Amino acid sequence: GVVYGNSTFVAVGYWGTILTSSDGITWTSGTFGIYNHFKGVVYGNSTFVAVSSQVHGQNSYGSILTSSDNGTSWTTRTSGTSSGLYGVTYGNNTFVAVGRSGTILTSSDNGTSWDNRTSGTTENLYGVTYGNGLFVTVGWGTILTSSDGTTWTERTSGTSEYLMEVTYGNGLFVTVGW
């Protein structure tokens, strides 16, 4: 995952990779002593939030890190879930993280504490975005929407394939997958 905020690009990936760049050309790698497989990162309300699907070599899932600076120092947060997390977004003063088996978490305090929400599905949720006053998350033939991140409604996707990412722009939500 990659995001831009606070005049900084932050990219995350496997094996605990967290890279930062002020120009998108020269990148600095931090050493954090963690081996999370990071899947998503977002910037909102002066905070970076990164989520991971697992810690390499362990059955530890659902890790969340936050950074309130330019991505050079990170704090591990308690997610309250043992499910892997694949995506995270920010909107309406709320962070929303999604993952395995329909997991949806929300945080309204800059990622410090997280609440588990009922999604109404057991399908994996991979992508999540916020736009036009609406959160949208996608998964295996699944599309869910929410105006507040707390209450979710299943929508007809028109496919039974994996939907991996979703974004909002120019008045449209667009999702892609297999």
Side-chain angles (χ1 to χ4, degrees):
V2 64
V3 70
Y4 180 80
N6 195 29
S7 301
T8 304
F9 291 96
V10 174
V12 299
Y14 276 25
W15 300 98
T17 300
I18 300 178
L19 306 171
T20 60
S21 174
S22 60
D23 60 11
I25 297 168
T26 304
W27 293 83
T28 303
S29 177
T31 304
F32 304 101
I34 52 177
Y35 299 99
N36 299 53
H37 289 338
F38 290 107
K39 298 286 189 172
V41 62
V42 70
Y43 182 80
N45 201 30
S46 301
T47 303
F48 290 99
V49 174
V51 298
S52 74
S53 60
Q54 78 178 84
V55 177
H56 181 73
Q58 301 177 26
N59 290 327
S60 177
Y61 299 96
S63 298
I64 298 175
L65 298 180
T66 64
S67 175
S68 58
D69 58 19
N70 60 356
T72 53
S73 61
W74 292 83
T75 302
T76 302
R77 302 298 183 178
T78 301
S79 69
T81 186
S82 59
S83 294
L85 299 173
Y86 302 119
V88 62
T89 195
Y90 178 80
N92 198 24
N93 298 313
T94 303
F95 287 95
V96 174
V98 299
R100 182 174 287 158
S101 302
T103 298
I104 297 178
L105 307 175
T106 62
S107 174
S108 57
D109 61 2
N110 281 0
T112 301
S113 61
W114 292 83
D115 295 310
N116 200 341
R117 302 300 180 180
T118 301
S119 68
T121 186
T122 58
E123 299 296 341
N124 293 346
L125 301 172
Y126 296 107
V128 62
T129 196
Y130 180 83
N132 200 29
L134 198 64
F135 291 99
V136 177
T137 183
V138 297
W140 191 353
T142 303
I143 298 175
L144 305 175
T145 64
S146 174
S147 61
D148 59 8
T150 301
T151 304
W152 292 84
T153 302
E154 188 165 0
R155 304 298 179 181
T156 302
S157 71
T159 185
S160 60
E161 300 295 332
Y162 283 101
L163 299 173
M164 301 300 290
E165 293 291 341
V166 60
T167 193
Y168 177 82
N170 200 27
L172 294 173
F173 288 95
V174 176
T175 185
V176 296
W178 289 13

